[in-house]
Amino acid sequence: MDADIIRILIPREEIARRVRELGEQIACTYERENDAGITVVTILSGALIFVADLMRQLPLKMKVGLIMVSSYAGPRTSPGEPKVIHGLNTDVAGRHVLLVDDILDTGGTLRMVRRRLEEAGARSIRTCVLLRKPAKAPPDVQADFIGFDIEDAFVVGYGLDFDDQYRNLPDIAVLREEIYARRRGGGGGNDRFASPNDQ
Ligand code: 5GP
Ligand code: MG
């Protein structure tokens, strides 16, 4: 696996330090305004490892909800319209929701899931992302808590995949160009990314 990586963008120690800080910031925000507890809604699969670490830094009463969303269909390498693969498994009506995703890129995923939570009657919605690509994030989709701003490169590791692999890398890294090219069948094309199956 290491041979496929060209460089580490964020090492594991730095991720761990930042997740602790995010935990403090989030706990402080919710402690001030509610003691009824929160519902942490996680967008699978990319946010899987992030949320597991983050929730253990939150000494709050909480329920956990999951929703699986995909925005990469077929052999495309830039995100399309996000689609819900598995719907939300918990009732958020009247709940304070913390929505957690791996990365805020074009904002399509957070916009769509946020709308669903509003429709389901969430009392409040805040969003937390581990990564944000500020080059692309649109003004109408903001995250309340952000781990790191990164350059506009396709990254893997710490839950983020390429073709459903590399999620178990402990660091956030950039793969060698050959890995993407091989998956694309050696062709160039306009798409920057190859085709992760789900997020
Ligand atoms: P959006 O464009 O809707 O903000 O982001 C869509 C989803 O695409 C993210 O939730 C994430 O799962 C995936 N994504 C966006 N950028 C990257 C990236 O650099 N690496 C990986 N592995 N997934 C990404
Ligand atoms: Mg995702």
Side-chain angles (χ1 to χ4, degrees):
M1 198 160 64
D2 288 355
D4 295 354
I5 292 165
I6 189 149
R7 67 196 160 95
I8 289 178
L9 201 63
I10 312 175
R12 62 198 79 179
E13 298 79 11
E14 215 177 308
I15 299 173
R17 184 188 52 76
R18 188 67 186 129
V19 171
R20 278 196 300 275
E21 287 176 357
L22 282 174
E24 279 168 25
Q25 207 183 329
I26 293 168
C28 184
T29 302
Y30 283 104
E31 267 161 9
R32 260 190 279 125
E33 65 181 45
N34 101 90
D35 51 15
I38 64 172
T39 300
V40 176
V41 170
T42 304
I43 304 178
L44 294 175
S45 305
L48 175 77
I49 295 179
F50 174 43
V51 78
D53 284 346
L54 182 68
M55 52 193 268
R56 284 177 290 174
Q57 299 296 325
L58 295 176
L60 302 168
K61 224 196 283 179
M62 69 169 68
K63 292 185 179 180
V64 174
L66 303 170
I67 182 168
M68 185 177 264
V69 179
S70 165
S71 48
Y72 294 80
R76 62 189 304 158
T77 59
S78 53
E81 195 57 34
K83 285 196 186 63
V84 175
I85 307 293
H86 291 297
L88 188 61
N89 65 337
T90 187
D91 184 6
V92 294
R95 302 282 302 168
H96 291 286
V97 173
L98 177 68
L99 176 59
V100 178
D101 201 5
D102 50 2
I103 183 163
L104 172 53
D105 186 18
T106 67
T109 305
L110 277 187
R111 189 188 290 117
M112 186 269 283
V113 177
R114 204 192 159 95
R115 198 179 312 127
R116 286 186 172 237
L117 294 169
E118 283 164 4
E119 284 164 8
R123 180 154 162 209
S124 72
I125 304 167
R126 288 193 172 89
T127 51
C128 175
V129 292
L130 178 66
L131 307 172
R132 176 176 67 170
K133 295 180 184 170
K136 300 235 295 286
D140 73 306
V141 187
Q142 307 276 348
D144 298 285
F145 308 100
I146 298 160
F148 302 92
D149 276 331
I150 61 164
E151 64 197 81
D152 190 12
F154 192 79
V155 293
V156 297
Y158 197 68
L160 290 106
D161 74 306
F162 170 67
D163 196 21
D164 224 10
Q165 291 184 71
Y166 306 103
R167 294 193 197 276
N168 56 325
L169 270 175
D171 311 296
I172 291 172
V174 180
L175 294 177
R176 293 185 181 285
E177 181 54 36
E178 307 91 87
I179 308 292
Y180 303 116
R182 206 182 299 151
R183 184 65 176 76
R184 285 196 295 256
N190 294 326
D191 287 349
R192 287 175 305 120
F193 311 149
S195 55
N197 290 326
D198 68 62
Q199 304 179 17

